[in-house]
Amino acid sequence: MPKHTFRLNGEEVTVDVRDDERLLWVLRDVLGVTGPKYGCGINVCKACTSHLNGRAVNPCAVPVGALKPTDEITTIEGLAATVDAELHPMQEAWLEQDVAQCGYCQPGQIMAAVALVRRVAGEGREVTDEDLDGIRNICRCGTYPRIREAIRSAAGRM
């Protein structure tokens, strides 16, 4: 089988899997990273949302063969390290707003929110309702009002 090298949460990793193996299975089953959740496996629910070079992606839709050795994958496990803290400001806001109920979708929600806030800040503006409406991660518990509040709260600290 071919070997694939990329960066995961700041560390270089090499895996020996088929080119078409989805990154979600590589993360969970080969590398033991369980933050990105399997929800649908078809790029709809977005429970697996992680970052690829700082942008939100869904590993269930990314074949590992598409990754380059310089590509950086960040999962919820590595998020705090991106700001050299124990918790990322978005994780802190999630706790302060008491967002999680079952918690299954929360890693993906947080990763999508961080990518959104970073993009909006890079555009030199504040997060709008339209931006928040663009997040398509599914929360079966329906904590969307608290999610929106947490994102707005964290945006001011990022």
Side-chain angles (χ1 to χ4, degrees):
M1 266 191 251
K3 291 194 183 294
H4 301 279
T5 299
F6 56 94
R7 297 189 58 75
L8 173 63
N9 296 326
E11 302 290 327
E12 184 175 275
V13 297
T14 300
V15 293
D16 193 10
V17 297
R18 296 183 332 264
D19 288 341
D20 64 348
E21 188 77 26
R22 299 301 169 166
L23 179 57
L24 180 59
W25 310 130
V26 172
L27 293 173
R28 293 184 61 80
D29 298 341
V30 177
L31 297 171
V33 177
T34 58
K37 303 299 185 216
Y38 170 71
C40 67
I42 57 172
N43 200 23
V44 173
C45 76
K46 306 200 182 308
C48 63
T49 303
S50 300
H51 294 169
L52 170 57
N53 301 325
R55 299 188 65 190
V57 297
N58 299 105
C60 69
V62 177
V64 74
L67 297 177
K68 299 181 297 280
T70 56
D71 283 336
E72 175 74 37
I73 304 298
T74 306
T75 65
I76 193 76
E77 289 87 349
L79 184 62
T82 66
V83 293
D84 198 28
E86 192 169 322
L87 289 176
H88 187 279
M90 193 65 72
Q91 292 170 304
E92 291 174 348
W94 237 251
L95 293 171
E96 291 163 3
Q97 296 297 324
D98 196 24
V99 172
Q101 283 189 19
C102 82
Y104 195 81
C105 71
Q106 300 311 302
Q109 295 276 3
I110 290 169
M111 297 303 286
V114 169
L116 169 72
V117 171
R118 286 180 180 160
R119 180 181 56 81
V120 167
E123 295 169 2
R125 59 186 185 83
E126 293 188 20
V127 175
T128 65
D129 283 335
E130 186 176 295
D131 293 321
L132 295 174
D133 291 345
I135 295 178
R136 296 288 182 221
N137 294 56
I138 296 172
C139 173
R140 289 177 177 92
C141 298
T143 64
Y144 298 111
R146 292 195 306 255
I147 288 169
R148 293 170 79 96
E149 286 304 312
I151 294 170
R152 289 185 187 282
S153 173
R157 298 182 240 167
M158 289 177 55

